[in-house]
Amino acid sequence: MQLRLLIFALLAASPLAADPASDFFENSVRPVLAKNCFACHSETKMGGLQMTSRELLLTGGNSGPAISPGHPEQSLLLQAVRQTHERLKMPPSGKLEDEQIAALARWVQEGAVWPEHKPAEQPPAAGGPGYTITPEQRGWWSFQPIRKPAAPRVGDKTWSQTPIDRFVMAKLEEHKLRPAEPAAPRILLRRAYYDLTGLPPAPADVEAFERDPSPKAFAAVVDLLLASPRYGERWGRYWLDIARYSDDKLNPTADEAAPNVWRYRDWVIGAFNDDMPYDQFVKAQIAGDLMEPKERYVAGLGFFAYSPEFQDDRVDALTRGMMGLTVACARCHDHKFDPIPTRDYYSLLGIFENTKEGKFPLASAEAVQEYERLSEQAKQQAKVVRDFEDQQARQLAAIFATHTARYLKAARGVPDAASAGEAEAAAVSAGLDPQTLERWVKYLSLKSREHPFLEGWRDAPFDDAGLQQKLLDVIAEKEAIDEENLILLGGKDDNRTVRVVEVKSLERDKYFLWRDLVSREGPAKFETGILYYEKSTIDRFLAPYWKQHLDGLRGELARRRSQVPDEYPYVMTIEDAAELEAMQVHVRGDRNNLGEAAPPQFPMILCDGEQKKFTSGSGRLELAEAIVDDRNPLTARVIVNRVWMYHFGQPLVATPGNFGRLGEKPTHPELLDYLAARLIESKWSLKALHREIMLTKVYALSVATLEANQNVDADNKLLWRANRRRLDVEPMRDTLLFVSGDLNEQRGGLAEKLGDACNLRRTVYGFVSRRQLEGTLALFDFPNPMSTSDARIPTATPLQQLFFMNSKFIEERARSLARRVRTAGDERARIEQAYRLLFQRGPTKGELAVGLEYLTSGDDSWPRYAQALLSSNELLFID
């Protein structure tokens, strides 16, 4: 209890922030509803349900409310689209894709936010060839060319020593405000270390800085930190937020590591450390395979190659992440607020639709060829084995299907809770296969099935023979359809061919009967159909000659697999498809309802004059060049706004991913343009931008509150003081490791699970999962890697405080810190050493007295005291 009181005395809440759910709704939820639901549940109100607003979904229809915010499992909408409801199976056209269902579930879980649309001041004309942009729309601030304004004149010329200071001071003087006092040298140094490296300074660094009276001392520190490899680890992670980086594939059931994905992460970190010009950095992530030298840039294509595998996500990450433009909102209709017609969205989407995944080997051509040759041999042999097993399994399933009536009759005599012995006895008595009967019993005990053919199977009169004939007819019909589709597809089964050929399929109920009983897939909770025996489970049914043949095939497979070497290193890329396809607008987001042509080209609002069609391949290189063109008014503004945000705790444009009409206007528009122009002048050097920002008076201000200023500008939009900031999860965890002496600074390589006690590396090298974030990351506001993230959104929850009181990670760091200061001397010296390591200062008299008193409470007092210090606000916040 004493320890908890000490910790709570040192903890304080950080400001709460709203969850930015509107973009997720517009990009991932509204398109699903528009395409699959609105046709029946808007004005027509089928089933009494209208789905065009949150309120109407809460009201519901004949079956009750459609959603229960925060509870997707209880929501009829989710039950219907998952098709787990006993009666409601939606949409009628077939089950939604897994990622669409996941988006709806996440939306409901997060409160079912449905932003209201307000009419635009000047609504654009309908999309299409006649789409026009009004002068008012073109006059929006972010679409204006970047011009470098002259620094304004100010009254206080002594304080304003740089153009940046003069822009800030001009705003302050306009409102008759004065800036706060400068931060103490120790505070300023700590701020700079965290801003550029994500780690605190060592006590010796602080002492050296405080002793150096030179006016150039801080500039030397900034240069030193920018040259540190820790800089790339800190700022590369910010870019990985935008790139929606993760270390796994999109697997809904288990973490499945994506091979070589860490190479993209290391490339990003290396690019920041090398100060790769930002225009080249962006360009490489769109068209790195088309740049020279390719070896330098091609790994940047991981931005799209390791995306969540949705092309519309790529458009959103590209436009919102790099240009602050919400083009993805124009997927189903012309953008309601910004001058972005639907055609512009599909012009960009078509570029990515005309790409495919590729690999760039990091090994010799000979090593690659040898691996591919042996790997292909093993794959072909695996196919031979699989095809033989499948052929036998399908034949066996067809045989079992002819005995369906006998198995149903026998199953009626076996209670649902029967033991395996009872089921086996019933099977032997009826002359049936025991394992197959056991499968039937388990399947028939399900409370619901996705077809109606077995309803009332226990009751008389149920037509056992009729069901048997139905199953045999379905099997025959499925075989006929498969043969016909094979002819229609010309032997191809790739996605492009399937999209343009109208293949046939079984009726819904027939399909589920076929799947549940005789297919390789099987129903939920079953690995296969109940009559389908796969792999080794089929061996006992094979005649000796067939079994001997299969054993030989398997032996050859094992031999060939043993010859395959470890896969060569490579980076995942995207490359142009061999055959390029023209893109058309998908009317209302429906790819089966095609509209006007949408050739690859840059958004209309960003073109000087008429849009020009990209003509080189898919258009990626031309797109990349257009994005980083000095005349594009968005790219430079967006990145300097983000850099400013991470240095000051708030951006000049409060919506860093939306520079459109729904976004905020800049608080200092001239300063924003000055910084953007300076970035371009410095050949897009981010390190030069950091240096220019940090060597200002405004960066060095303290967090002190001035009452006169507070009454006028409580939110500090005018930058009269520094903003106190809580550490993000990465520098927080890294700091705890660093001050306790446990940090392993090994750089690069495979990601390691953060939950592993032996993982003491920097958090940027921790395993990031799209399926389920590691607990500490999720607890401390790590961005969702399923979509591009503009900024971290800090929260304050009781669970965060409990983490510092109860987690084993904190307990281990506390014990390590106690061991680290053990050699400092007596208790007083050890306390002083701990304070210098954690807070870069010595303890006050009061803090020293409290510490000495507490340390008399027992033999284990030092680890508990260290835990309290590690939980303190002074460690976890930047002043």
Side-chain angles (χ1 to χ4, degrees), residues 769-827:
S769 172
R770 285 198 177 105
R771 184 183 71 88
Q772 183 176 16
L773 277 178
E774 189 274 335
T776 305
L777 295 181
L779 183 60
F780 288 97
D781 312 313
F782 190 84
N784 186 339
M786 285 294 290
S787 59
T788 189
S789 177
D790 307 316
R792 301 292 178 92
I793 309 298
T795 63
T797 70
L799 290 178
Q800 293 169 353
Q801 316 300 341
L802 291 173
F803 171 83
F804 284 95
M805 289 193 292
N806 300 324
S807 77
K808 292 189 178 299
F809 178 82
I810 294 295
E811 291 175 0
E812 287 295 330
R813 304 292 74 76
R815 283 192 284 269
S816 294
L817 178 60
R819 288 192 296 268
R820 185 177 184 185
V821 301
R822 184 177 297 164
T823 59
D826 59 13
E827 298 287 51

Side-chain angles (χ1 to χ4, degrees), residues 168-177 179 718-720:
V168 173
M169 178 56 77
K171 285 281 187 180
L172 291 175
E173 290 182 345
E174 182 182 334
H175 292 80
K176 297 181 172 54
L177 302 181
L718 299 178
L719 303 170
W720 52 271

Side-chain angles (χ1 to χ4, degrees), residues 756-767:
D756 293 347
C758 57
N759 181 9
L760 304 177
R761 300 181 64 196
R762 292 201 70 172
T763 311
V764 70
Y765 300 117
F767 191 93

Side-chain angles (χ1 to χ4, degrees), residues 249-560:
K249 298 179 181 178
L250 191 60
N251 186 328
T253 58
D255 286 344
E256 182 181 1
N260 290 283
V261 63
W262 55 271
R263 297 185 189 278
Y264 171 70
R265 176 246 290 150
D266 287 356
W267 178 86
V268 169
I269 292 173
F272 273 91
N273 279 330
D274 296 342
D275 198 22
M276 179 183 290
Y278 181 72
D279 58 341
Q280 298 300 300
F281 177 73
V282 167
K283 189 175 174 181
Q285 294 175 83
I286 304 169
D289 56 324
L290 305 174
M291 298 170 64
E292 293 295 340
K294 182 184 291 189
E295 294 77 9
R296 176 73 179 100
Y297 298 111
V298 70
L301 291 170
F303 186 97
F304 293 114
Y306 295 111
S307 67
E309 301 171 14
F310 315 132
Q311 301 291 31
D312 53 341
D313 159 81
R314 292 178 172 182
V315 174
D316 185 51
L318 174 88
T319 58
R320 192 155 58 93
M322 298 178 182
M323 296 189 293
L325 207 57
T326 56
V327 173
C329 292
R331 176 182 175 183
C332 301
H333 48 72
D334 294 343
H335 201 295
K336 292 184 178 297
F337 306 100
D338 299 328
I340 305 170
T342 304
R343 184 183 63 252
D344 279 354
Y345 169 81
Y346 286 99
S347 291
L348 297 177
L349 179 66
I351 294 174
F352 295 111
E353 290 280 7
N354 277 307
T355 64
K356 62 180 181 178
E357 290 186 352
K359 293 180 180 179
F360 183 80
L362 302 176
S364 67
E366 294 76 15
V368 173
Q369 290 172 0
E370 182 66 3
Y371 173 83
E372 297 291 354
R373 182 180 68 83
L374 295 174
S375 179
E376 182 60 28
Q377 289 180 355
K379 289 178 182 177
Q380 291 299 323
Q381 185 61 21
K383 184 177 184 303
V384 171
V385 172
R386 185 173 62 253
D387 288 349
F388 183 82
E389 291 173 342
D390 181 60
Q391 182 184 39
Q392 305 308 311
R394 286 188 286 107
Q395 290 179 355
L396 180 63
I399 293 171
F400 276 128
T402 63
H403 299 283
T404 298
R406 296 176 59 201
Y407 277 98
L408 282 175
K409 181 178 179 182
R412 289 192 186 93
V414 181
D416 290 345
S419 65
E422 290 177 287
E424 182 176 2
V428 171
S429 175
L432 301 172
D433 179 64
Q435 186 178 0
T436 305
L437 179 60
E438 185 179 347
R439 287 183 171 196
W440 265 110
V441 170
K442 182 180 178 182
Y443 176 67
L444 292 169
S445 68
L446 294 177
K447 293 182 178 179
S448 64
R449 285 169 288 275
E450 294 181 273
H451 64 80
F453 300 115
L454 281 163
E455 291 181 4
W457 71 275
R458 279 193 181 276
D459 307 323
F462 184 83
D463 188 358
D464 293 353
L467 177 66
Q468 178 174 301
Q469 188 59 50
K470 168 65 72 175
L471 177 58
L472 294 174
D473 291 344
V474 167
I475 293 173
E477 184 179 353
K478 181 66 167 64
E479 291 177 351
I481 287 175
D482 288 346
E483 291 182 8
E484 188 172 351
N485 283 339
L486 188 62
I487 295 172
L488 288 171
L489 294 170
K492 299 179 181 179
D493 61 355
D494 59 278
N495 289 334
R496 286 173 177 261
T497 305
V498 171
R499 282 208 304 266
V500 298
V501 175
E502 188 174 350
V503 296
K504 297 186 177 182
S505 62
L506 286 171
E507 295 177 6
R508 179 192 177 281
D509 290 344
K510 290 181 180 179
Y511 166 77
F512 284 120
L513 178 67
W514 173 84
R515 184 202 69 178
D516 289 4
L517 299 185
V518 297
S519 80
R520 180 187 293 174
E521 180 183 352
K525 300 181 181 179
F526 289 79
E527 294 182 0
T528 65
I530 63 173
L531 303 181
Y532 186 98
Y533 286 85
E534 64 172 351
K535 299 178 181 178
S536 60
T537 62
I538 200 173
D539 289 7
R540 67 186 179 90
F541 297 102
L542 299 179
Y545 186 80
W546 274 258
K547 178 65 167 61
Q548 181 182 359
H549 176 68
L550 180 56
D551 287 343
L553 295 178
R554 289 169 174 166
E556 178 64 13
L557 174 60
R559 185 186 71 80
R560 293 190 180 185

Side-chain angles (χ1 to χ4, degrees), residues 556-584:
E556 178 64 13
L557 174 60
R559 185 186 71 80
R560 293 190 180 185
R561 282 177 170 169
S562 68
Q563 294 177 337
V564 180
D566 291 339
E567 189 173 16
Y568 57 88
Y570 61 86
V571 293
M572 284 293 294
T573 67
I574 58 173
E575 57 189 41
D576 287 359
E579 297 180 10
L580 302 180
E581 294 184 352
M583 172 58 69
Q584 292 174 264

